[in-house]
Amino acid sequence: MFRTALTRFQNKWKSYRHRFVPWVALNLSRNEKTLRKVTERSKDKLVPDAEVSRSLLQLFRVLLGSHGADHGQLRALQNHFLGQVTSEEDKCGGNSVCGDDAMLQSLGFCLDRQPSSLPSAGTGVFVTKGCVPKGATVAMYPGTVYQAYEPILLQSIRNPFVFRCIDGVLVDGNDKGISKMVFKSCSGRDRMGPFIMSDTSWLTSTPQNPLAVGQYVNNCSYETPANVCYQEYDVPNNFPIRLRQYLPNVNYSHEAQRPLRCVVLVSLRDITAGEELFSNYFTIVN
């Protein structure tokens, strides 16, 4: 009985550790290949925030255009709410484009969740079409954003999807259980008139924003070096209101005064179709 329970725990841990932040932190010094050192938060960026914004806007506009034919009445209501049409956002046509096609069309590659190539690692993320160039925004880490002082104890229990930013901000990327309920509640709370301010479809098996799979990217190892890394990204205030519906993050507190924190994954090299994504972590050094 005890041996069976121990075996079950060991198998669970082998999968859990690939994303469990405390385990990663304890093992960083044992594997320098998993660690990217930065001297301060502003130095964690491989590409400028403006480049991340450009990539997201490029994809989101294609997604918005593909939904135009289906959401005509809502778009008319949104235009009335704004008082005018933002021409750049409305250049998209009404052609039906699925998430993968939109991604391939706008970014040049597609992603998919599949069983990881790592033993006992569970789900991983693979490039299935096209080629990811070095420095591209490859994925987003979805979830509820908690400031360092906000409670997350219950949500964090047995949760391998809590990501810690350099400044202590936490992103809970779990798409099940209490984490799922919290995200849906916060997303519904933040709606602005006819405008949806965040995307809840990442909680399903078919996210409308195909980038929102970053929580399933496994950590690198000695045998599987990193090809992507995390980069913190604060959504600028001028981010188009119509396109916020594709952001897979929401603040836990409605009173949060700072910009919405997102975490993206940026490619460290060219990545070709068939490759699995493996990430590394950064740490502040003096």
Side-chain angles (χ1 to χ4, degrees):
M1 184 71 174
F2 173 77
R3 182 169 298 178
T4 301
L6 179 61
T7 301
R8 189 181 300 114
F9 172 79
Q10 289 174 335
N11 291 336
K12 183 72 174 177
W13 174 246
K14 288 178 182 178
S15 173
Y16 193 64
R17 68 183 186 182
H18 288 289
R19 299 189 182 90
F20 186 46
V21 173
W23 182 88
V24 173
L26 289 172
N27 285 270
L28 286 177
S29 60
R30 295 172 53 188
N31 186 358
E32 289 294 321
K33 290 168 65 176
T34 69
L35 184 62
R36 182 165 59 91
K37 298 177 181 179
V38 297
T39 55
E40 57 186 83
R41 179 172 176 265
S42 62
K43 299 295 179 62
D44 83 299
K45 301 183 185 302
L46 288 185
V47 298
D49 281 353
E51 181 61 23
V52 175
S53 291
R54 187 198 65 78
S55 296
L56 298 183
L57 292 173
Q58 188 172 332
L59 172 63
F60 292 177
R61 284 176 179 136
V62 174
L63 291 173
L64 182 70
S66 71
H67 298 153
D70 299 327
H71 298 162
Q73 290 183 337
L74 177 59
R75 286 168 65 84
L77 181 60
Q78 291 173 346
N79 290 339
H80 177 74
F81 185 84
L82 285 176
Q84 61 181 5
V85 176
T86 304
S87 58
E88 188 173 10
E89 291 178 38
D90 287 304
K91 288 179 181 178
C92 299
N95 298 325
S96 178
V97 181
C98 70
D100 283 351
D101 289 341
M103 193 176 195
L104 188 61
Q105 175 183 326
S106 58
L107 302 180
F109 59 88
C110 292
L111 302 177
D112 191 22
R113 288 176 285 187
Q114 299 175 4
S116 175
S117 60
L118 293 176
S120 304
T123 301
V125 178
F126 291 77
V127 178
T128 56
K129 295 180 183 178
C131 178
V132 180
K134 180 180 179 180
T137 301
V138 186
M140 302 183 71
Y141 198 101
T144 306
V145 180
Y146 294 82
Q147 305 305 315
Y149 53 84
E150 291 177 331
I152 193 177
L153 176 61
L154 290 179
Q155 299 92 310
S156 67
I157 296 175
R158 300 185 64 184
N159 183 356
F161 295 102
V162 177
F163 180 90
R164 186 183 188 279
C165 298
I166 290 177
D167 58 359
V169 170
L170 301 175
V171 183
D172 181 6
N174 195 350
D175 55 12
K176 297 178 178 62
I178 188 173
S179 299
K180 179 177 181 178
M181 292 188 291
V182 168
F183 188 93
K184 293 180 72 173
S185 176
C186 293
S187 179
R189 173 203 66 199
D190 289 351
R191 191 179 183 115
M192 183 181 295
F195 293 99
I196 301 171
M197 303 303 287
S198 58
D199 175 24
T200 60
S201 69
W202 70 271
L203 298 167
T204 72
S205 59
T206 55
Q208 64 175 350
N209 173 3
L211 291 175
V213 293
Q215 79 277 35
Y216 285 105
V217 174
N218 285 305
N219 302 320
C220 65
S221 65
Y222 283 112
E223 296 76 21
T224 56
N227 50 21
V228 297
C229 68
Y230 296 101
Q231 178 170 313
E232 298 172 16
Y233 166 74
D234 289 340
V235 179
N237 292 330
N238 63 353
F239 199 90
I241 191 170
R242 277 199 188 90
L243 301 182
R244 289 178 179 260
Q245 64 183 297
Y246 301 112
L247 292 172
N249 297 93
V250 65
N251 282 317
Y252 175 73
S253 173
H254 183 62
E255 286 75 30
Q257 299 298 312
R258 61 190 305 170
L260 177 65
R261 171 67 53 80
C262 291
V263 176
V264 299
L265 289 99
V266 177
S267 54
L268 294 169
R269 59 170 175 81
D270 292 349
I271 308 171
T272 57
E275 289 192 67
E276 182 174 359
L277 302 183
F278 294 106
S279 63
N280 66 7
Y281 282 81
F282 43 68
T283 185
I284 294 290
V285 294
N286 296 323

